[in-house]
Amino acid sequence: MKKHQTLVPLFILAVQLTSAVDFIFNTFDSSGVSLSGNATIESQILTLTNDATFSIGRAFYTSKIPTKQPNTTVVLPFSTSFIFAMAPYRNRLAGHGVVFVFSPHDGIEGSSSAQNLGLFNFTNDGSPNNHVLGVEFDCFRNQEFNDIDDNHVGIDVNSLTSVAAHEAGYWPDDGGASSFEKLELNNGRIYQVWIDYADSILNVTMSPVGMKRPKQPLLNVPLNLSDVFEDEMFVGFTASTGDMIQSHKILSWSFSNTNFSLSEGLITDGLPSFELPKTPIHRTKGFITALIVGISVFALACSVVAFFSVVRNRRTRKEKDEMEDWELEYWPHRISLQEIESGTKNFADQNVIGVGGNGKVYGGVLRGGSQIAVKVISRENGEGTRAFLSEISSLGRLKHRYLVGFRGWCKKDKGHLILVYDYMENGSLDKRVFECDENMILSFKDRIRILKQVASALLYLHEGWEAKVLHRDIKASNVLLDKEMNAKLGDFGLARMHDHDRTSGTTRLVGTVGYLAPEIVRDGRASTKTDVFGYGVLILEVVCGRRPVEAGEEGLVEWVLDASRRGELVTAVDRRLKRDGGETVDEEGVERVLRLGLLCAHFDPKVRPSMRRVVEIFEGGNEEAQQESLFVGDHDQGFSRGLGFTNPTFDEIAEGLSSSMAISCSGILVEGR
Ligand SMILES: *[C@@H]1O[C@H](CO)[C@@H](O)[C@H](O)[C@H]1NC(C)=O
Ligand SMILES: *[C@@H]1O[C@H](CO)[C@@H](O)[C@H](O)[C@H]1NC(C)=O
Ligand SMILES: *[C@@H]1O[C@H](CO)[C@@H](O)[C@H](O)[C@H]1NC(C)=O
Ligand SMILES: *[C@@H]1O[C@H](CO)[C@@H](O)[C@H](O)[C@H]1NC(C)=O
Ligand SMILES: *[C@@H]1O[C@H](CO)[C@@H](O)[C@H](O)[C@H]1NC(C)=O
Ligand SMILES: *[C@@H]1O[C@H](CO)[C@@H](O)[C@H](O)[C@H]1NC(C)=O
């Protein structure tokens, strides 16, 4: 720390031009920047977030800066550079990211944490009234904002859905176009970033600290900022954490709208690193496991190669040119591209019915006249292929009344894969529960029916097939509604196959913020119990008519829990259901189902019921059966014993449930949002 002292804490070259702003911070103190939220300055380093969950930290240059030539709409050029680190904490998954930002106001108003990066909130995201430009360094893949991966740099104009994005990294000066070097954002290493704007072009470049600035920018985007910027703007940084935490640090920063070489004044040597110390690799359990796994994978790979070379030799030459090895396995579902093209009017824009995490969805008609939904997945990166394979391998062979029907697939050009599903006339469940027309809103009865149907689909995935299938992304927008308003669980893009009785060892985090169980956030392990957690959150949101994480508010689980503690659980029900002589809801039913939701979303996976038990609770018409089903089984017995009940009633257990949650508030209140 001592090495990099303040060279020029702040110097302003405002001589000829009143609009000129130039400053350079090689260290930070409280006089140069104004801090808000949980931002602090630690050891002269600007620390936007620490290990607090669901936290926002913002810091801006103390005064607004002019961004346009006086009395015109012409945007001034600018050049900025900064050195940053995302420092992970041991045994925690890291998130969510840091953004360089121009904003009309300072403070944290209008922003929320987790995936919103402290940049926008749920209501104002996408509004042209924001007048915000951000360059995000994002280490969580958010499907709702079409994030390309979990390690990217994106340009955000008034919205978290980036106008342009690229995997983080750089092209070395001596390499060709194929020599891209990936940089992992959240590993504690320090990186330098350069952002330059001139002649309506925005360039973003990054590299490891100490390297000469790469000539080719990572992002080079035409952008007219004259309607985005107000005449004067605050400039600075924002970062946020959610369930996943890391410390977002800015070590130094220069900004200028006159001198594009000012960034050369940043000191790049003698800086600290925030990488976690590693235990010697050969001693770790992981190494031994990896060794064993490696050997078995190699053996398996050899036999697979041998198998496919036999198969391949049997095939005709023509097929060989058109197909890849893995396609063989999925051959039966193939539909011809011509049929899909004519069915969707050649993928016409007016046929687009939705945009999902993986790509666009088109409506269309097959030759026989049946309506279909066609999902086009871009295959530019390997990600697309993997998502495709997993989607095919699970959905293609699974059939259930309450799962979206999968019809087939094909390839388009080199870069695209196409999946064909049954068309769902009534769209997705979220459109009927959250902000929608009164006449679109679902009645309480319908909501319960749909929840039951989703439960039975999920039980089928967990137990109804020779391999256990985890859904991993249960949420209202993944529940679709057919003509008769029956639920169909969809989007298996994230599902992976697991043989029964084998725990999954993956550490790659998939899912959606707000539906992730605490243990999956802690160690990335998905299980049937993490699906049950997502289902519990689904119950709560569908009954309460609230999204799981609404900007500026406590999490939904906590909110319902609060109502339960006050003994006013029934008040949590969606208010629109009771208004204007609408259906009067069965209060006992509301309480019962909310308690079930809380039980499923319990922070302790051992307490959560299995999907089988959830279905039994829904179906067991009489009280007796419902109590039985709640308490039979090791986990629940342990749970009720722990609460001192020998033969508890439903109400007792529910009461016990909320008090046990209150006792373990450090678990659920912090982790369980
Ligand atoms: C700051 O951190 C605390 C926890 O230490 C958290 O409760 C609070 O919401 C955070 N504030 C902001 C604005 O993020
Ligand atoms: C810009 O307009 C203001 C009044 O609207 C005027 O006082 C000022 O002189 C103008 N500046 C320039 C550089 O024309
Ligand atoms: C989002 O921020 C805007 C201000 O930009 C505010 O009016 C609105 O109430 C906020 N919404 C939520 C849900 O906090
Ligand atoms: C952006 O990058 C391009 C390509 O390297 C370069 O020609 C252009 O001058 C750069 N613009 C700015 C404002 O740095
Ligand atoms: C940018 O947009 C503004 C207003 O929309 C327009 O007046 C101006 O000509 C545009 N600038 C460029 C360089 O296209
Ligand atoms: C621009 O900044 C560089 C680096 O700090 C400095 O050496 C140079 O003198 C500055 N140029 C002008 C014109 O101020």
Side-chain angles (χ1 to χ4, degrees), residues 317-479:
R317 209 194 159 83
K318 184 160 173 281
E319 270 176 328
K320 201 163 139 190
D321 291 341
E322 280 177 357
M323 294 180 63
E324 293 167 29
D325 287 344
W326 54 261
E327 294 181 54
L328 274 176
E329 200 183 331
Y330 309 107
W331 172 252
H333 293 289
R334 198 163 170 152
I335 297 178
S336 84
L337 179 61
Q338 290 94 310
E339 182 166 7
I340 294 168
E341 276 177 342
S342 67
T344 58
K345 305 210 179 77
N346 220 344
F347 301 100
D349 276 346
Q350 73 261 26
N351 278 36
V352 174
I353 53 174
V355 181
N358 287 318
K360 282 189 186 157
V361 183
Y362 297 83
V365 186
L366 280 187
R367 244 181 253 135
S370 47
Q371 279 193 297
I372 50 168
V374 176
K375 192 172 193 175
V376 180
I377 296 178
S378 162
R379 253 183 103 193
E380 275 151 49
N381 44 20
E383 195 71 31
T385 310
R386 256 177 285 131
F388 172 77
L389 276 171
S390 109
E391 185 140 7
I392 290 274
S393 64
S394 39
L395 195 56
R397 287 177 281 170
L398 293 166
K399 296 245 177 293
H400 187 268
R401 194 144 47 114
Y402 301 126
L403 286 179
V404 173
F406 173 68
R407 287 170 170 264
W409 65 279
C410 77
K411 288 211 293 187
K412 177 176 176 253
D413 316 328
K414 268 229 140 42
H416 296 93
L417 295 163
I418 289 168
L419 303 179
V420 181
Y421 299 94
D422 288 340
Y423 180 73
M424 293 294 126
E425 286 81 357
N426 280 310
S428 58
L429 178 60
D430 59 329
K431 306 246 160 58
R432 305 252 165 187
V433 171
F434 309 121
E435 66 289 326
C436 62
D437 274 336
E438 295 269 325
N439 56 8
M440 294 260 293
I441 246 179
L442 284 173
S443 69
F444 182 68
K445 271 208 194 92
D446 282 337
R447 294 183 197 203
I448 298 299
R449 182 176 49 79
I450 285 167
L451 286 172
K452 281 183 194 172
Q453 294 172 339
V454 174
S456 82
L458 207 47
L459 172 59
Y460 171 76
L461 292 181
H462 286 178
E463 297 184 15
W465 208 56
E466 72 260 30
K468 178 167 72 185
V469 179
L470 301 182
H471 187 284
R472 290 174 182 243
D473 200 15
I474 295 157
K475 56 180 172 183
S477 58
N478 278 342
V479 175

Side-chain angles (χ1 to χ4, degrees), residues 93 470 472 503-509 517 519-527 530:
L93 290 177
L470 301 182
R472 290 174 182 243
T503 45
S504 50
T506 175
T507 52
R508 215 186 122 73
L509 189 64
E519 73 274 15
I520 200 172
V521 171
R522 249 187 335 262
D523 58 21
R525 259 162 199 270
S527 67
T530 57

Side-chain angles (χ1 to χ4, degrees), residues 37-38 52-57 108 673:
N38 282 332
T53 54
F54 292 92
S55 160
I56 301 172
I108 61 166
R673 289 205 223 197

Side-chain angles (χ1 to χ4, degrees), residues 196-198 201 203 213 215-217 220 260:
D196 298 303
Y197 182 76
I201 301 279
N203 286 346
R213 170 184 178 152
K215 288 203 181 69
Q216 184 181 347
N220 169 249
F260 271 43

Side-chain angles (χ1 to χ4, degrees), residues 105 109-112 120-124 130 550-553:
H105 59 85
E109 187 210 339
S111 65
S112 49
F120 302 114
N121 66 24
F122 172 69
T123 342
N124 61 16
N130 287 332
E550 276 185 18
E553 284 168 21

